[in-house]
Amino acid sequence: MTINNEVARRRTFAIISHPDAGKTTLTEKLLMYAGAIHIAGSVKARKASRHATSDWMEIEKQRGISVASSVMQMEYRGCVINLLDTPGHQDFSEDTYRVLTAVDAALMVIDAANGVETQTLRLLEVCRARNTPILTFINKMDREVRDPLDLIDEIERTLGMATAPFTWPVGMGRHFHGVYDLQQACMRVFQPGADRAGTDDEVITQLDDPAIQARFGENLAYAQQEIDLIKGASPEFDREAFLAGQQTPVFFGSAINNFGVREILDALVDLAPSPDSRQAMQREVRPNETKFSGVVFKIQANMNPAHRDRIAFARICSGQFKRGMSLRVVRSGKDVRTSTVVSFLSQRREILETAYPGDIIGIPNHGTLQLGDTLTEGEALQFTGLPFFAPEIFQTVEIADPLRSKQLKLGLTQLGEEGAIQVFRPHIGNTLLLGAVGALQFEVVTHRLKHEYGVPARIAPAKYQLARWVTSDDPRELQRFIEANAHRIAYDAVDAPTFLASFGAELSVAEENWKRIQFHKLREHA
Ligand code: GDP
């Protein structure tokens, strides 16, 4: 098959949701359709282990599974669908955000009882910054939930995005009768049951048939009124607007009952984009170019702490990956061997023979690869857009034994390179500051400092609540700002100056007083 065909049949996406909205359940059902049940099992196992304990040691034991289930691949209707897991719950971290830079679309799962929740909003912000197309699945219609019109309204208001309902629920909870398909003008009747194949739904086309009206009663009448309203008020589905991240197709269903799930797979195949061109500093790179290129978006430390081996997750941006080919790390000019590159097709990591744009490959290494690295067959390309996110939680780090400070620095540098944590050096004073977006990261870092680097470190809450990278068109103005705010300035791993604040108001005041300084929530990999 030609590379054009392989690109055209790839779909790479991630699920964004708030904990408990149904991401795990939906993932399992999606995989079930594609016959990848053994992976679905591991998705569940992983979740169970997470819930059983919040102990970092346990999470570390699960790392093997977590690597295996962090990228899942399935085939559906001739398409190869890559589903990237976005770590949530306790292990919410910058990785969660960065995964979103490696996908071409996102599926937003919303609990119909709760509407749009905080974590969904945070993740969506990242998608919006990149204009990632979003599909929406409103889950748990088999429960007493909120009014669907109300939910649609909330999505439009809080996410600033138009909606295009593809299906509409008829009833809810005990009276959930199914969904009306606005595209096909028919109703698919709901039947509870977790293990249904989902292919044998009863389909009704004659909704005005008195027998049908009698069967579903006022729920159908109500739904029909709402559908008329929706048809009048919402614009039609507009693929351009969807691809630009301005309009989201909406589906209703119940993941646990495997209802509405196939529509999601169909939408991924029919609506979601295949891999597109990606911007490198030097030029735009088309996916169907013959030469390979890829970008590292995640680094995961491996099972064996003694060896400090890591797996770099790279997204293929162009060309074909062939096992054994030599890949150049553009930043360092070094080559990496690819004879042991792995895929994530099953619970066992498998050696990968070939892969195409949109696919994710795992490259074992001992530190040759860093976040944001571009890999090519030799061309000097650097992909842009791998962001670092302003930390939301800060801790100070100190060591009891000053003789270990070299090891501490080494450990923190390496953990920083993996993206596990961000390390800031204050403008005044010597106490290093650690920043992360999820609280578990601090536990991970102290544990690994002790066990992998032999540095028992003490961390304590810092007084800061938020950080913004600062830049200015005028270097002297930036210098004046730094001097005037010396006690609130720190430098990150690449020495970029950062403004730290204890309250949101402090940031507002600084923004008000320093009009020629720009405050950034994201820093792109340089
Ligand atoms: P995650 O945290 O987003 O991965 O959510 P899970 O998939 O683990 O689901 C959270 C809870 O909601 C679990 O108890 C599921 O059984 C339940 N759940 C998921 N989908 C549905 C659904 O369609 N209906 C109902 N009633 N419960 C659901």
Side-chain angles (χ1 to χ4, degrees):
M1 218 183 276
T2 67
I3 182 147
N4 280 323
N5 288 337
E6 290 293 352
V7 170
R9 72 191 197 104
R10 288 291 185 295
R11 301 288 183 276
T12 301
F13 80 109
I15 300 182
I16 56 179
S17 65
H18 193 78
D20 285 335
K23 185 179 75 166
T24 311
T25 310
L26 184 62
T27 302
E28 264 178 57
K29 304 295 178 194
L30 291 172
L31 291 165
M32 228 165 78
Y33 271 104
I37 295 163
H38 53 293
I39 309 185
S42 84
V43 173
K44 219 190 251 162
R46 183 179 175 201
K47 168 111 184 183
S49 77
R50 269 206 207 128
H51 270 224
T53 170
S54 61
D55 181 357
W56 150 241
M57 284 300 287
E58 269 310 307
I59 292 164
E60 188 176 41
K61 276 189 210 147
Q62 293 299 323
R63 265 194 204 165
I65 294 175
S66 103
V67 169
S69 64
S70 51
V71 182
M72 294 157 271
Q73 197 175 57
M74 49 193 140
E75 263 200 71
Y76 180 73
R77 283 179 45 200
C79 276
V80 177
I81 300 177
N82 295 307
L83 168 54
L84 276 58
D85 188 32
T86 47
H89 303 241
Q90 305 100 312
D91 47 355
F92 184 83
S93 71
E94 285 199 45
D95 271 354
T96 314
Y97 288 149
R98 268 189 225 108
V99 162
L100 297 175
T101 68
V103 300
D104 301 313
L107 171 62
M108 172 167 75
V109 178
I110 288 177
D111 181 330
N114 300 332
V116 178
E117 295 174 87
T118 47
Q119 191 150 311
T120 313
L121 259 170
R122 281 164 101 183
L123 293 168
L124 201 95
E125 227 175 83
V126 181
C127 294
R128 294 307 300 276
R130 310 172 56 81
N131 301 326
T132 306
I134 315 275
L135 303 143
T136 302
F137 182 69
I138 301 188
N139 191 26
K140 305 196 186 180
M141 290 309 299
D142 60 317
R143 289 207 182 152
E144 294 303 325
V145 291
R146 282 171 47 187
D147 186 74
L149 275 178
D150 199 33
L151 289 167
I152 291 287
D153 184 54
E154 180 171 292
I155 292 171
E156 300 206 334
R157 256 186 311 108
T158 52
L159 305 179
M161 198 166 34
T163 57
F166 271 55
T167 63
W168 197 262
V170 178
M172 67 168 74
R174 280 192 301 121
H175 302 290
F176 182 46
H177 295 304
V179 293
Y180 181 76
D181 185 326
L182 281 94
Q183 307 284 315
Q184 315 269 331
C186 64
M187 175 176 164
R188 278 191 293 281
V189 179
F190 174 68
Q191 258 203 328
D195 297 318
R196 294 165 53 251
T199 46
D200 48 0
D201 290 338
E202 180 189 352
V203 175
I204 297 171
T205 46
Q206 300 299 320
L207 287 177
D208 45 5
D209 181 340
I212 297 298
Q213 298 271 349
R215 179 172 162 199
F216 300 117
E218 59 183 14
N219 287 301
L220 180 58
Y222 186 64
Q224 279 177 313
Q225 277 173 20
E226 287 187 317
I227 292 161
D228 285 342
L229 250 170
I230 280 287
K231 277 187 181 159
S234 305
E236 300 251 300
F237 175 67
D238 173 353
R239 187 147 194 266
E240 288 301 307
F242 161 64
L243 292 180
Q246 292 159 358
Q247 190 197 53
T248 176
V250 179
F251 300 83
F252 290 84
S254 169
I256 202 154
N257 290 296
N258 206 358
F259 188 78
V261 175
R262 200 185 48 214
E263 286 82 341
I264 292 296
L265 279 172
D266 284 328
L268 282 166
V269 168
D270 296 328
L271 311 179
S274 52
D276 200 354
S277 298
R278 295 218 149 200
Q279 194 61 47
M281 251 138 75
Q282 295 76 3
R283 63 183 184 88
E284 201 174 74
V285 180
R286 285 176 295 108
N288 54 1
E289 291 179 14
T290 48
K291 292 264 198 273
F292 175 97
S293 70
V295 61
V296 175
F297 64 93
K298 173 172 166 164
I299 303 267
Q300 179 139 8
N302 217 344
M303 297 292 281
N304 188 344
H307 290 119
R308 287 204 190 124
D309 45 350
R310 310 164 171 184
I311 287 201
F313 290 61
R315 177 195 152 112
I316 303 182
C317 301
S318 70
Q320 181 185 3
F321 170 80
K322 293 191 199 96
R323 180 158 95 93
M325 78 195 297
S326 172
L327 292 180
R328 173 81 40 89
V329 186
V330 175
R331 174 184 47 82
S332 63
K334 289 193 181 131
D335 289 338
V336 285
R337 289 175 48 228
T338 61
S339 46
T340 56
V341 159
V342 291
S343 74
F344 303 93
L345 280 176
S346 73
Q347 211 163 338
R348 290 171 292 123
R349 304 203 303 254
E350 282 173 354
I351 298 293
L352 186 74
E353 294 298 332
T354 182
Y356 292 94
D359 291 346
I360 310 301
I361 58 176
I363 310 171
N365 69 99
H366 297 275
T368 24
L369 288 169
Q370 293 182 8
L371 278 174
D373 270 346
T374 300
L375 294 159
T376 66
E377 290 186 39
E379 186 180 349
L381 283 177
Q382 172 65 54
F383 285 105
T384 56
L386 190 84
F388 285 78
F389 297 88
E392 291 160 26
I393 309 169
F394 297 87
Q395 308 254 297
T396 54
V397 55
E398 278 176 67
I399 42 170
D401 176 2
L403 293 175
R404 310 290 295 168
S405 67
K406 225 168 138 187
Q407 278 86 343
L408 176 72
K409 210 163 158 237
L410 174 75
L412 288 178
T413 308
Q414 293 193 349
L415 294 171
E417 279 169 11
E418 266 177 44
I421 201 97
Q422 292 189 56
V423 185
F424 293 91
R425 179 174 54 80
H427 190 65
I428 296 174
N430 298 315
T431 313
L432 289 178
L433 203 59
L434 305 182
V437 300
L440 182 77
Q441 293 311 105
F442 295 105
E443 247 177 85
V444 172
V445 164
T446 22
H447 176 89
R448 290 184 56 191
L449 278 175
K450 185 162 167 208
H451 293 272
E452 293 174 30
Y453 298 91
V455 191
R458 254 197 325 267
I459 57 168
K463 60 182 176 179
Y464 304 112
Q465 297 272 344
L466 53 90
R468 292 290 182 270
W469 281 284
V470 283
T471 58
S472 174
D473 299 335
D474 177 0
R476 279 168 310 174
E477 177 74 354
L478 184 60
Q479 206 46 48
R480 273 194 293 276
F481 177 78
I482 290 173
E483 294 308 328
N485 293 280
H487 57 294
R488 288 181 214 283
I489 298 289
Y491 300 88
D492 75 358
V494 297
D495 276 337
T498 316
F499 174 78
L500 302 164
S502 308
F503 308 100
E506 281 175 304
L507 175 64
S508 318
V509 169
E511 284 174 325
E512 189 56 37
N513 292 343
W514 296 83
K515 294 280 188 216
R516 289 165 63 212
I517 299 288
Q518 281 92 48
F519 297 80
H520 310 271
K521 228 173 154 176
L522 293 184
R523 181 175 68 73
E524 288 216 344
H525 188 270

